[in-house]
Amino acid sequence: MGRDEVNAFLTSLAVDEHVSASTQNQALSALLFLYRVVLEEPLPWMDELVRAQRHVRVPVVMTAEEVQAVMGRLHGTSQLIVMLLYGSGLRLLEALRLRVKDIDFGRRQIFVRDPKGNRDRATMLPLVIVDALHGNLERVRRLHDEDVRDGTAGVWLPDALTRKFPMAAHEWGWQWVFPASRRYQDSSGAVWRHHVHETVVQRAVRSASLECGIAKRVTCHTFRHSFATH
């Protein structure tokens, strides 16, 4: 399959099949991998390719009353996480990946590390959740002390940090703000503590929005859009 066939195939995806831009990009990435790695013949000739257009979507935004209604049907950790999404404009994974050291109660700030786009930033810590967050960290502290007594490997850290700071995984500052209730064992036999899985919060938000009878498609990201709008 040469230049004309590759261009015709990718163009057909956009023109005839009306696929999304991400689907065409996935096909293009697969072909680039095939030619560069498997066939060892890089593709320098993509000039005539017709690219699928990326549609601009209008974000879903809830009213303040709808936000309160959904939050009122959430409980525990899921409710606290969603309050952070709405009060601080965090993405779901940004909230779940928060470490204890990323919360500055004195300056009422949250530091977001290694986010989408790899641009660290600081955002506000809403006063309304300060007490609940303190209570959550007290619970996390007890969980951490239990892990230390049991001799677990600690929390996951990027490989470079693990090599540079071997004991950081056990330090209080590096613990997850929202740790999972269960520990897990990796292939080497080491026992770790991960953060709450995103599906736990996603399911809770979905269930709460349905109970409220909201016709809009409410997801965790909807709270970020609502934060920016309100």
Side-chain angles (χ1 to χ4, degrees):
M1 187 167 64
R3 166 180 177 170
D4 293 339
E5 289 79 11
V6 171
N7 277 333
F9 169 68
L10 293 173
T11 298
S12 175
L13 290 178
V15 176
D16 301 325
E17 302 296 333
H18 306 290
V19 302
S20 65
S22 59
T23 299
Q24 189 192 42
N25 286 336
Q26 186 177 39
L28 174 58
S29 297
L31 285 168
L32 289 174
F33 179 83
L34 170 66
Y35 275 81
R36 184 178 65 251
V37 178
V38 180
L39 302 179
E40 297 183 350
E41 296 180 10
L43 293 176
W45 27 263
M46 306 300 295
D47 301 334
E48 301 173 6
L49 174 64
V50 176
R51 302 304 298 267
Q53 297 299 310
R54 186 176 296 276
H55 297 288
V56 178
R57 307 290 185 184
V58 177
V60 176
V61 176
M62 291 185 287
T63 65
E65 292 75 17
E66 288 172 335
V67 170
Q68 293 299 326
V70 174
M71 285 186 181
R73 286 169 171 77
L74 296 172
H75 307 281
T77 300
S78 292
Q79 185 186 58
L80 183 55
I81 292 171
V82 170
M83 291 175 73
L84 266 179
L85 304 185
Y86 178 62
S88 303
L90 299 179
R91 298 178 177 89
L92 177 57
L93 280 179
E94 290 173 350
L96 297 180
R97 291 171 179 170
L98 285 175
R99 311 272 183 168
V100 173
K101 65 182 182 61
D102 297 329
I103 309 294
D104 188 337
F105 288 101
R107 298 176 63 187
R108 283 183 52 198
Q109 283 188 322
I110 296 174
F111 297 96
V112 184
R113 315 287 185 181
D114 195 26
K116 183 179 180 180
N118 295 320
R119 296 182 61 135
D120 291 2
R121 72 181 191 278
T123 186
M124 65 188 75
L125 172 61
L127 180 61
V128 70
I129 68 170
V130 167
D131 289 343
L133 202 51
H134 272 301
N136 178 74
L137 290 180
E138 290 177 3
R139 181 186 64 82
V140 174
R141 188 75 194 224
R142 292 193 295 270
L143 202 61
H144 173 56
D145 291 342
E146 180 182 322
D147 288 346
V148 171
R149 288 195 301 270
D150 293 345
T152 65
V155 296
W156 176 87
L157 294 175
D159 291 337
L161 278 175
T162 303
R163 293 192 297 269
K164 189 175 183 180
F165 306 110
M167 297 304 297
H170 299 278
E171 295 176 2
W172 169 238
W174 283 99
Q175 303 308 302
W176 303 112
V177 174
F178 302 109
S181 58
R182 297 181 181 179
R183 295 173 287 198
Y184 75 96
Q185 188 175 53
D186 65 16
S187 57
S188 68
V191 178
W192 302 86
R193 175 84 63 179
H194 201 46
H195 59 67
V196 170
H197 198 274
E198 58 265 31
T199 56
V200 173
V201 188
Q202 290 167 342
R203 290 169 182 166
V205 168
R206 175 64 174 165
S207 177
S209 66
L210 290 175
E211 289 178 14
C212 293
I214 299 175
K216 302 170 184 175
R217 183 177 180 271
V218 177
T219 67
C220 292
H221 207 69
T222 307
F223 291 93
R224 174 175 162 85
H225 291 312
S226 302
F227 159 84
T229 302
H230 298 170

